[in-house]
Amino acid sequence: MSNTEISVLENITQILGYRPDFFGCDLRDMKQLEEIFEKYDFDGVVHFAGLKSPRESCDRANEYFDNNITWSLKLFACMEKYGVMKIIFSSSAAIYSTQGMHKKGLDENADIWNTNHPYGSTKLILENILWDLAKFSWFQVISFRYFNPIWAHTSWLLWENPVWIPNNLFPYIMKVASGDLDYISVFGNDYNTHDGTGIRDYIDVNDLVRGHILWYEYFDTIGQNVACFEVFNLWTWLWISVIEAITSVSNVLWKDISYVFEDRRLGDLAEVYCNPMRAKNILWWTSKVTLDESIKNTLYYHKISA
Ligand code: UDP
């Protein structure tokens, strides 16, 4: 809850038609965590919690290690104690070493030994821990490596709306489009990419949600009491540069978005994009929402007319 507001729960209630049980529980509080596991007969856990800014993690490495790793260990211990073995984990493409980068994108077997920032390291370490828990404690693990989730839920009730000034590209562009901020800083125009700016794959959050739901069916095919550790890239395979991202919003809006070039941002890589074929072949998952559709939806939330 450190970068959102409790009012989000009301909107979730509206979407579901009932109020979901909610505990504002800190993972550091093992006692409260156990009370929750005691109360419910959980089938599995979807673990999204964590700090997530590569840049910020360079300044606050220990906080990232503590928050993302130490407190996750409490969750895993609790799961084991209560016999809840299925977990889906939000990993990141930030764990890949980009040295093997080529135009087909990185697949799940690409090198992951050389992360570029503490945030990436936290995800890598947690994947290793989960791998061991699968091997030695019979955990059933699916780790989704995604990179830049964007946009909003199709109900128009949930959208990316950080409490603080956004770190991420698209929420920042939206603040400029809506007039809340004057311009966007483009971090680096001297990368070895076609227009010199950083390249990423931006994936609509609704596509990601579908991927997470499919894990249930996948676990059913494995059966109970069979340990597993699977990793999947969830990507659109349509990567774009920072300038192309700004231009896409401009084109949908028919309005200029002001930007200035600044120095590269600490911890940033020139380009990262992955190959999502494994998710397609095994989970039957592919992204469906186009970038333009995503942008149009998001403009609506921001009350900007296109
Ligand atoms: N970026 C930028 N200006 C901003 C925010 C991001 O130029 O205000 C660039 C950043 O350098 C990277 C890309 O946009 O090349 C995506 O950054 P973001 O923070 O959204 O995600 P990250 O890839 O760092 O997780």
Side-chain angles (χ1 to χ4, degrees):
M1 297 298 293
S2 60
N3 201 13
T4 188
E5 283 162 4
I6 192 68
S7 56
V8 168
L9 191 58
E10 300 312 320
N11 292 356
I12 293 174
T13 302
Q14 239 178 293
I15 293 168
L16 291 175
Y18 63 89
R19 195 181 169 85
D21 292 354
F22 170 80
F23 298 87
C25 169
D26 195 318
L27 288 184
R28 280 171 285 197
D29 186 346
M30 197 67 177
K31 190 165 164 285
Q32 201 186 3
L33 202 55
E34 288 196 2
E35 276 168 21
I36 297 169
F37 273 77
E38 195 81 56
K39 186 166 174 200
Y40 297 89
D41 186 16
F42 290 128
D43 189 46
V45 168
V46 186
H47 180 26
F48 294 117
L51 297 170
K52 66 162 188 71
S53 161
R55 170 66 188 94
E56 187 180 68
S57 75
C58 298
D59 291 336
R60 293 160 53 184
N62 276 320
E63 193 183 336
Y64 267 67
F65 296 144
D66 222 19
N67 187 79
N68 289 11
I69 302 172
T70 317
W71 313 135
S72 292
L73 296 182
K74 304 250 179 202
L75 175 65
F76 302 157
C78 203
M79 287 174 63
E80 187 164 26
K81 180 166 174 187
Y82 287 88
V84 180
M85 300 324 232
K86 290 179 191 165
I87 180 165
I88 186 158
F89 172 61
S90 292
S91 185
S92 168
I95 70 172
Y96 288 121
S97 146
T98 49
Q99 301 203 344
M101 204 73 207
H102 49 72
K103 289 296 166 200
K104 275 197 281 184
L106 300 163
D107 67 25
E108 288 82 352
N109 296 317
D111 283 339
I112 51 173
W113 50 267
N114 188 15
T115 53
N116 217 41
H117 38 69
Y119 165 68
S121 303
T122 65
K123 294 293 179 183
L124 177 60
I125 289 165
L126 283 168
E127 272 205 8
N128 283 338
I129 289 168
L130 286 166
W131 166 238
D132 278 338
L133 287 172
K135 265 195 298 193
F136 301 112
S137 296
W138 298 94
F139 271 52
Q140 295 186 313
V141 182
I142 290 192
S143 184
F144 282 134
R145 294 172 181 167
Y146 37 81
F147 208 97
N148 295 53
I150 49 172
W151 312 127
H153 187 253
T154 44
S155 63
W156 294 355
L157 285 166
L158 294 174
W159 68 99
E160 193 172 6
N161 192 16
V163 175
W164 310 108
I165 292 202
N167 271 313
N168 295 118
L169 180 65
F170 271 99
Y172 208 107
I173 297 176
M174 288 304 155
K175 293 268 182 199
V176 178
S178 64
D180 289 348
L181 297 170
D182 292 337
Y183 64 90
I184 176 154
S185 302
V186 175
F187 298 130
N189 62 344
D190 55 352
Y191 286 111
N192 185 20
T193 59
H194 63 278
D195 63 12
T197 65
I199 292 185
R200 301 286 186 276
D201 187 317
Y202 298 90
I203 179 162
D204 192 283
V205 73
N206 297 289
D207 279 331
L208 283 186
V209 169
R210 256 189 323 105
H212 288 74
I213 291 169
L214 287 171
W215 76 283
Y216 250 99
E217 286 160 29
Y218 183 71
F219 274 133
D220 282 348
T221 65
I222 302 173
Q224 296 287 337
N225 305 321
V226 182
C228 84
F229 178 87
E230 299 280 355
V231 293
F232 294 102
N233 292 331
L234 294 188
W235 288 62
T236 67
W237 223 344
L238 292 170
W239 41 81
I240 55 171
S241 70
V242 175
I243 291 296
E244 285 164 342
I246 295 172
T247 311
S248 309
V249 179
S250 261
N251 289 347
V252 171
L253 258 182
W254 292 74
K255 175 180 171 184
D256 282 342
I257 308 274
S258 305
Y259 61 86
V260 294
F261 289 121
E262 290 194 16
D263 289 345
R264 293 179 182 191
R265 191 174 61 174
L266 190 65
D268 271 357
L269 292 164
E271 49 184 355
V272 187
Y273 36 84
C274 294
N275 177 327
M277 281 311 284
R278 185 158 201 268
K280 183 175 181 199
N281 293 339
I282 298 179
L283 291 181
W284 296 87
W285 178 93
T286 50
S287 65
K288 290 188 174 155
V289 187
T290 65
L291 187 63
D292 273 8
E293 283 166 353
S294 288
I295 292 172
K296 281 182 189 148
N297 275 340
T298 307
L299 292 171
Y300 176 90
Y301 297 107
H302 286 262
K303 314 249 176 315
I304 309 165
S305 44

